Amino acid sequence: MFNIILNDVPTPWACYFQDPATPNQEGIIELHDNICFYLVLILCLVSWMLFTIVKTYSKNPIAYKYVKHGQTIEIIWTILPAVVLLVIAFPSFILLYLCDEVISPAMTIKAIGLQWYWRYEYSDFINDSGETIEFESYVIPEELLEDGQLRLLDTDASVVCPIDTHIRFVVTSADVIHSFAIPSLGIKIDCNPGRLNQVSALIQRTGVFYGMCSELCGVAHSAMPIKIEAVTLPEFLQWLNEQ
């Protein structure tokens, strides 16, 4: 009935997250909103106290009796922030460890950062020649962009992933430190030379998701976009046959 438009790309003057496509990103947004709720309460409470004390300092008994030499108020302003920090810390640690869990992925995609492009490998799939699917992904120059393509985000080759599939991304670097980041998927992980890092994703809807290298890696750091196309399983199998 309704044509829902989802935001999966950066927008000018954006102040909020892109629309989530994985459970990890949904958890990140929920945690962010919960923390902002507590921050707003703290801001209102502290602002009210400061305004009240400044406005009615000479007539306010709080300024003399409790603020200067009050054991009760000191206990309150020590315990209350500690409780708030615990309320914030527990959900954040739970989400952090859940995002780090990579258990029995259905497929693995390797991403290697280089100056200044990405190389991908589908090591689970082998063609008739016994070779794995490998390709390099470069940013499309601005003068070669077609209608509908995004400046500094579209690439000549996309990472194709099936939806509703537990995918593991194994990342590394061949030269300097890069960062593999796709906001809509809730993925941001460093690519370190000589080290393998991993992160998982369960993409829940079809679409095209964009990311960038999020670690300063040289003069062409801005020319390392990531483009992921999430398709249905039959479409993914068809794409595999064409490789």
Side-chain angles (χ1 to χ4, degrees):
M1 180 182 296
F2 298 101
N3 184 17
I4 300 176
I5 299 176
L6 298 173
N7 176 28
D8 297 325
V9 297
T11 55
W13 304 99
C15 298
Y16 199 64
F17 298 95
Q18 297 177 19
D19 290 319
T22 63
N24 289 352
Q25 181 63 7
E26 291 176 356
I28 291 172
I29 293 177
E30 182 179 1
L31 177 65
H32 169 269
D33 294 343
N34 290 337
I35 292 178
C36 283
F37 171 75
Y38 294 112
L39 293 180
V40 169
L41 290 182
I42 295 172
L43 176 64
C44 293
L45 176 61
V46 174
S47 300
W48 174 80
M49 292 179 63
L50 288 175
F51 177 77
T52 303
I53 292 174
V54 171
K55 181 180 179 181
T56 61
Y57 181 79
S58 59
K59 303 177 182 179
N60 192 352
I62 295 181
Y64 296 99
K65 183 177 180 181
Y66 297 104
V67 176
K68 288 187 175 181
H69 305 287
Q71 185 177 9
T72 302
I73 193 66
E74 290 179 1
I75 293 175
I76 292 175
W77 70 38
T78 302
I79 294 179
L80 184 60
V83 172
V84 173
L85 289 177
L86 289 176
V87 171
I88 293 175
F90 277 113
S92 62
F93 277 115
I94 292 173
L95 179 63
L96 177 64
Y97 288 117
L98 285 176
C99 291
D100 285 340
E101 290 288 342
V102 182
I103 302 175
S104 301
M107 59 177 290
T108 298
I109 299 176
K110 297 178 182 177
I112 303 172
L114 302 100
Q115 292 176 313
W116 288 273
Y117 60 96
W118 294 95
R119 185 166 72 238
Y120 300 100
E121 177 183 341
Y122 290 71
S123 55
D124 295 325
F125 307 99
I126 301 176
N127 58 19
D128 296 336
S129 304
E131 300 175 346
T132 59
I133 299 175
E134 297 183 22
F135 59 89
E136 295 173 348
S137 178
Y138 295 87
V139 63
I140 298 178
E142 188 172 355
E143 61 272 12
L144 299 180
L145 288 175
E146 299 178 358
D147 292 340
Q149 291 184 326
L150 302 175
R151 175 180 173 271
L152 293 180
L153 285 178
D154 265 294
T155 59
D156 58 351
S158 306
V159 181
V160 180
C161 300
I163 62 172
D164 299 326
T165 303
H166 188 193
I167 303 172
R168 173 176 60 180
F169 291 93
V170 177
V171 302
T172 188
S173 171
D175 35 53
V176 299
I177 299 177
H178 301 278
S179 183
F180 190 75
I182 305 100
S184 291
L185 306 186
I187 293 177
K188 186 178 186 297
I189 186 169
D190 284 343
C191 309
N192 298 304
R195 181 187 178 102
L196 296 177
N197 293 329
Q198 65 177 4
V199 67
S200 65
L202 179 65
I203 306 176
Q204 298 175 309
R205 57 183 173 86
T206 59
V208 180
F209 308 102
Y210 295 91
M212 288 290 295
C213 173
S214 297
E215 184 73 33
L216 291 175
C217 56
V219 294
H221 161 69
S222 61
M224 289 187 63
I226 303 163
K227 182 180 179 181
I228 293 183
E229 293 186 25
V231 298
T232 61
L233 185 57
E235 292 175 337
F236 175 72
L237 296 177
Q238 180 181 358
W239 176 83
L240 285 178
N241 292 329
E242 296 172 354
Q243 303 306 307

